[in-house]
C-alpha cells in the first residue's frame, strides 16, 4: 500500500481526524474479517491463479501484501514509540514490488498461516496504546505521518484498497461456473 493512500485515494486526514483505541481496534477487526470473507471458500487454484484480483497478483499475493504491511506497521510503530527515527529508504511501489517478489513462490498454506498470525500482533499493539498516544501527532511521526494515520493506513484503509478488486475477482469466478 502507498501509506499516503486510503479508500478513494484520499489522504487519511481528509476523512478521519480522531479515533479511540477501542474504536480503531474494532474497526480493524471488522474490516479485516470482511476482507478475509471474500476469499473464504475459494479453492487453492482460485487463490493462486494469476492474473487474479490484480493483473500480476493472485489472491494469495494480496494476502501476503496485506500481511507484510500489518507486520511492518507494528514493527515501525514500536520502534518509533521507543524514540527511533525512521527514514523512508524505498518508495511504497518499490516496497510492494519487493513484497511480491519475496512472497510470490511461498506456498498458500504459509501465506495463510502468516496472515492469521499477523493480526494478533496488531491487536497487541493497539491494546497497549491509549487514545492520547494514537491521536496526538506529537507522540510520534512515522514516515511523515501521525501515528493515527499510519495505523489506519496499514489496517482498515489498506484493506479497503483491495476489497473491490477481490470482490470483482470472486464475482467473476462465480459467473464462470
Amino acid at each position: 500500500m502507498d501509506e499516503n493512500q486510503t479508500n478513494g485515494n484520499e489522504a487519511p486526514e481528509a476523512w478521519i481526524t480522531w479515533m479511540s483505541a477501542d474504536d480503531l481496534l474494532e474497526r480493524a477487526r471488522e474490516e479485516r474479517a470482511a476482507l478475509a470473507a471474500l476469499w473464504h471458500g475459494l479453492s487453492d487454484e482460485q487463490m493462486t491463479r494469476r492474473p487474479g484480483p490484480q493483473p500480476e497478483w493472485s489472491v494469495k499475493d494480496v494476502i501476503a501484501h496485506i500481511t507484510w504491511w500489518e507486520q511492518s506497521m507494528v514493527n515501525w510503530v514500536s520502534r518509533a514509540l521507543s524514540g527511533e527515527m525512521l527514514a523512508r529508504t524505498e518508495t511504497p511501489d518499490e516496497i510492494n514490488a519487493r513484497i511480491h517478489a519475496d512472497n510470490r513462490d511461498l506456498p498458500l498454506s504459509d501465506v495463510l498461516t502468516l496472515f492469521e498470525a499477523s493480526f494478533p500482533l496488531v491487536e497487541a499493539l493497539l491494546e497497549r496504546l491509549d487514545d492520547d498516544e494514537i491521536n496526538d501527532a506529537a507522540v510520534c511521526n512515522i514516515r511523515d505521518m501521525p501515528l493515527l494515520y499510519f495505523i489506519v493506513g496499514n489496517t482498515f484503509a489498506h484493506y479497503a484498497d483491495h476489497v473491490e478488486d477481490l470482490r470483482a475477482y470472486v464475482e467473476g469466478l462465480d459467473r464462470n461456473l
Side-chain angles (χ1 to χ4, degrees), residues 66 73 121 124-125 131:
I66 289 167
M73 181 270 297
L121 302 173
L125 172 70
D131 295 352

Side-chain angles (χ1 to χ4, degrees), residues 1 3 5-6 11-25 27-28 73 77 81 125-126 129-142 144-158:
M1 170 193 175
E3 61 241 11
Q5 289 182 330
T6 62
E13 62 271 21
W15 58 272
I16 189 169
T17 58
W18 191 93
M19 285 188 87
S20 72
D22 290 340
D23 288 345
L24 180 55
L25 180 55
R27 176 109 182 249
M73 181 270 297
V77 168
L81 288 172
L125 172 70
L126 294 178
L129 296 172
D130 64 35
D131 295 352
D132 291 334
E133 289 173 307
I134 290 171
N135 291 286
D136 185 348
V139 168
C140 78
N141 183 309
I142 303 170
D144 300 322
M145 298 176 75
L147 184 58
L148 173 65
Y149 301 158
F150 191 73
I151 294 170
V152 168
N154 287 289
T155 58
F156 63 83
H158 189 202

